[in-house]
Amino acid sequence: RFVELDLPLQPDMPVFLALGRVDEWGKFAALSDRSLMFYAIRNIAEEFLGSTTRFLCVPVDRSRFVWFIQPGPAQELDHGPDPRKFWDHMAQLIAGNAESIQENCNRLLQIPISLAIGCKPVSWDRTADAFETLKVLLGFGLGRGKELLITDSAWQRENRKSSREYFSEHELRGSLKKLDLLEYCLDSGDKAGFADLFQQLVQSAGG
């Protein structure tokens, strides 16, 4: 299936995920401009990661995109005797380049982006769970400024889950899914669905 779709990834190898968000479109508010900017952001990321990794960028919605990252062929040959050190090195490579990618997106495109990065590779059957976790990380980052750079391991260290925090995260996951549906209703012109979901969000926000 990967070969049929011409994907530059290996189905039998774990993959790192990173979720990005355009914090502000500025003068690129038109949908046609956004498509071009998504392409430009991908190109900048590939400049930093493409030579050493297998890299795929996929737009998620109007403002978010997801990166799938695996070791490149040269990296695979340098696997070494300790797989854990190898994957830790890969995680450091990704995180180390993330800030440079953010800086270049702002400097060259005048577009600030935030990134939530998974620090452990996951098997392909776990990518949906990893994606949902990164969505929550970016969700918790809302209102904390632009150009956030969050890793799941750092966030977990700083937020030891009490039962109260667990339910807060559970509620946030539900709200994020409703926001995704709101965007779908807008795109499809479903005014009734939009109004119903919006009312649910307002009621949940009011407690």
Side-chain angles (χ1 to χ4, degrees), residues 25-37:
W25 285 105
K27 61 184 178 182
F28 303 109
L31 286 177
S32 57
D33 290 337
R34 293 185 185 190
S35 297
L36 289 173
M37 288 304 103

Side-chain angles (χ1 to χ4, degrees), residues 117 119 137 149-160:
I117 301 170
C119 286
L137 294 190
L149 183 56
I150 311 166
T151 61
D152 55 0
S153 59
W155 182 84
Q156 288 165 6
R157 286 195 303 270
E158 294 170 5
N159 295 273
R160 302 297 182 187

Side-chain angles (χ1 to χ4, degrees), residues 53-73:
T53 71
R54 292 184 174 93
F55 176 83
L56 177 67
C57 177
V58 180
V60 175
D61 53 30
R62 293 183 177 190
S63 61
R64 292 178 299 178
F65 51 90
V66 61
W67 295 342
F68 298 90
I69 307 166
Q70 291 177 327

Side-chain angles (χ1 to χ4, degrees), residues 19 21 64 116 131-144 150 155 159 161 163-181 201 204-205:
L19 180 64
R21 180 185 68 222
R64 292 178 299 178
F131 177 73
E132 288 299 320
T133 297
L134 295 178
K135 280 174 64 176
V136 169
L137 294 190
L138 276 187
F140 274 121
L142 288 172
R144 296 186 183 181
I150 311 166
W155 182 84
N159 295 273
K161 290 184 184 176
S163 58
R164 184 175 183 177
E165 289 169 334
Y166 173 82
F167 286 112
S168 175
E169 178 180 328
H170 181 73
E171 290 173 1
L172 179 60
R173 286 181 186 269
S175 295
L176 288 172
K177 288 180 179 179
K178 287 177 182 176
L179 286 171
D180 288 341
L181 287 171
L201 280 170
S204 61

Side-chain angles (χ1 to χ4, degrees), residues 57-92:
C57 177
V58 180
V60 175
D61 53 30
R62 293 183 177 190
S63 61
R64 292 178 299 178
F65 51 90
V66 61
W67 295 342
F68 298 90
I69 307 166
Q70 291 177 327
Q75 295 286 99
E76 286 183 65
L77 293 174
D78 192 30
H79 199 295
D82 189 342
R84 186 174 61 181
K85 286 185 178 180
F86 171 78
W87 291 110
D88 286 346
H89 171 73
M90 279 296 303
Q92 291 166 10

Side-chain angles (χ1 to χ4, degrees), residues 72-132:
Q75 295 286 99
E76 286 183 65
L77 293 174
D78 192 30
H79 199 295
D82 189 342
R84 186 174 61 181
K85 286 185 178 180
F86 171 78
W87 291 110
D88 286 346
H89 171 73
M90 279 296 303
Q92 291 166 10
L93 176 73
I94 295 166
N97 280 290
E99 188 172 352
S100 297
I101 293 169
Q102 287 179 313
E103 290 173 355
N104 277 269
C105 285
N106 204 338
R107 180 173 62 86
L108 299 175
L109 308 176
Q110 287 78 55
I111 289 180
I113 66 171
S114 289
L115 294 169
I117 301 170
C119 286
K120 298 289 184 185
V122 296
S123 58
W124 284 99
D125 61 351
R126 299 288 297 171
T127 53
D129 292 336
F131 177 73
E132 288 299 320

